[in-house]
C-alpha cells in the first residue's frame, strides 16, 4: 500500500478518535470541536477511499491545484456555511489550472 495513503488513513482515524473522545466531555466548546474533528475525519476517510482515483488525476492537475482542493474540502468539512465561497475558489482554481496547462502546451493526452 502507498505510504501516502497509509498516512491519510492514520490522520483520518486520529481525527475520528479525537472527535469521539471530545464527544464524551460535557462542555459546549468540546462539542463544537468534536463535530469538526468527526467531519474532518469522515472527509479524510473518503479521500482515503478515493486515493487511487485521485492518483490518476495527477496527470491532469498540478500539485498546487490538488492541494487547494484538499484544503477546500477540509475547510468545508469544518465550516459548511462557506461552501459557496469554497466552490467558487475551486472552480476558479480548476479553470486557471486548465488555462495555464493549455498555454504551456502541457495538455495530457487521453
Amino acid at each position: 500500500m502507498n505510504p501516502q495513503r497509509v498516512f491519510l488513513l492514520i490522520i483520518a482515524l486520529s481525527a475520528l478518535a479525537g472527535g469521539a473522545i471530545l464527544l464524551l466531555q460535557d462542555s459546549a466548546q468540546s462539542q463544537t470541536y468534536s463535530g469538526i474533528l468527526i467531519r474532518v475525519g469522515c472527509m479524510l476517510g473518503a479521500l482515503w477511499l478515493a486515493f487511487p482515483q485521485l492518483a490518476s488525476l495527477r496527470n491532469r492537475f498540478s500539485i498546487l491545484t490538488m492541494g487547494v482542493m484538499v484544503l477546500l474540502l477540509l475547510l468545508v468539512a469544518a465550516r459548511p456555511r462557506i461552501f459557496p465561497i469554497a466552490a467558487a475558489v475551486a472552480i476558479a482554481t480548476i479553470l486557471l489550472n486548465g488555462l495555464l496547462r493549455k498555454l504551456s502546451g502541457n495538455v495530457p493526452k487521453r
Side-chain angles (χ1 to χ4, degrees):
M1 189 180 295
N2 191 341
Q4 295 166 339
R5 190 172 183 196
V6 172
F7 181 69
L8 190 61
L9 178 64
I10 291 169
I11 297 296
L13 290 176
S14 299
L16 286 171
I21 290 170
L22 285 176
L23 190 62
L24 299 175
Q25 296 179 357
D26 288 335
S27 71
Q29 189 175 13
S30 67
Q31 296 293 322
T32 302
Y33 290 126
S34 170
I36 291 171
L37 283 174
I38 289 174
R39 282 185 293 213
V40 168
C42 289
M43 184 69 66
L44 289 174
L47 285 174
W48 175 75
L49 287 173
F51 193 82
Q53 287 79 19
L54 292 174
S56 70
L57 287 178
R58 286 185 194 160
N59 297 334
R60 293 189 211 156
F61 294 120
S62 67
I63 297 296
L64 179 65
T65 303
M66 295 295 288
V68 168
M69 294 301 142
V70 169
L71 180 67
L72 288 174
L73 283 173
L74 292 175
L75 193 60
V76 168
R79 302 282 183 217
R81 290 186 182 184
I82 65 165
F83 177 75
I85 297 168
V89 170
I91 290 170
T93 303
I94 290 171
L95 291 175
L96 185 62
N97 179 64
L99 179 67
L100 290 175
R101 286 206 178 236
K102 189 175 271 191
L103 289 175
S104 71
N106 191 10
V107 179
K109 300 198 177 17
R110 294 181 187 203

